[in-house]
Amino acid sequence: GPRKQQVSILLQNQNTTSNGFVTIGPFRSEFYLTPPQYNFLGNIDWLTGLAIHEYRHVEQFVNAKKSITKIGSILFGQNGWGVTAGLALPRWFFEGDAVFYETALTNGGRGRMANFENEYKALLLTGKKLASYEKASATSLKSFIPNHYNLGYHMTTGMRRDFGADTLNMVVDRAVSYRSVVFPF
């Protein structure tokens, strides 16, 4: 979406974890500066890939702040914003869309890494039917299911390819307006 907003970024350098996140309540992002031993982002610098991925989450939250989600924000502050956005949009969307952008805006990114595809390739080679949407998005303790980053990347990339680049904007707009209370996305 078109909206942009500044976000506070906390740089954590006293850790052994390679990660980052964006959260609402208070609205901020934290970067864990220790690079991974195995760079799963490919040939891009750790902080560059992390910044692209996490800022996409900022854009997702900011552009989801409309309609019912905006009302939640007005009534209950940042926590209302976070709850209404989190209930409207599945976690695979947040992560898959961010992986798409880290891939599209760089020469690396998980979408270009062969090992990012390995879990789905292995499942397809077994000849078994892939999990239903519900099982794939909620995961399973019994069956092997690729994580929400993989599912989301394939879902969002497929939507863009098959229905156009603006499709996800329209889907998000409908979801955060809660036109359907059950599974608005």
Side-chain angles (χ1 to χ4, degrees):
R3 293 194 227 162
K4 308 284 186 243
Q5 182 173 328
Q6 288 186 347
V7 63
S8 297
I9 300 175
L10 302 174
L11 304 176
Q12 303 284 359
N13 64 355
Q14 300 295 315
N15 56 26
T16 58
T17 305
S18 305
N19 208 341
F21 64 88
V22 173
T23 188
I24 300 176
F27 185 50
R28 72 184 190 284
S29 181
E30 293 191 27
F31 291 7
Y32 298 156
L33 300 178
T34 305
Q37 291 183 4
Y38 164 70
N39 194 359
F40 56 86
L41 296 175
N43 63 350
I44 58 174
D45 175 66
W46 166 245
L47 292 178
T48 300
L50 185 64
I52 291 169
H53 185 96
E54 299 307 329
Y55 190 71
R56 183 59 185 168
H57 290 318
V58 170
E59 290 180 325
Q60 291 164 343
F61 281 122
V62 168
N63 284 285
K65 192 177 184 181
K66 54 181 105 174
S67 194
I68 300 298
T69 306
K70 186 170 186 171
I71 293 170
S73 171
I74 292 167
L75 294 176
F76 301 106
Q78 290 181 345
N79 289 328
W81 174 22
V83 167
T84 52
L87 290 174
L89 304 169
R91 67 184 182 154
W92 64 257
F93 163 74
F94 285 111
E95 297 303 343
D97 185 56
V99 169
F100 172 83
Y101 275 94
E102 82 189 26
T103 304
L105 298 177
T106 67
N107 291 326
R110 282 174 264 195
R112 288 194 179 90
M113 300 293 291
N115 65 347
F116 188 69
E117 304 285 329
N118 283 349
E119 294 170 344
Y120 275 111
K121 285 180 184 176
L123 285 173
L124 290 171
L125 288 172
T126 64
K128 295 179 183 175
K129 193 170 96 172
L130 291 177
S132 66
Y133 170 77
E134 289 81 9
K135 191 172 186 178
S137 61
T139 200
S140 171
L141 295 175
K142 286 184 174 182
S143 307
F144 174 73
I145 305 289
N147 66 34
H148 54 285
Y149 289 82
N150 296 74
L151 174 67
Y153 175 73
H154 291 293
M155 295 281 280
T156 58
T157 302
M159 282 187 237
R160 283 183 177 91
R161 182 191 61 233
D162 296 343
F163 304 109
D166 292 334
T167 300
L168 282 173
N169 292 342
M170 292 184 291
V171 171
V172 169
D173 286 348
R174 289 181 61 118
V176 298
S177 67
Y178 283 87
R179 292 185 185 171
S180 170
V181 177
V182 179
F183 301 120
F185 193 81

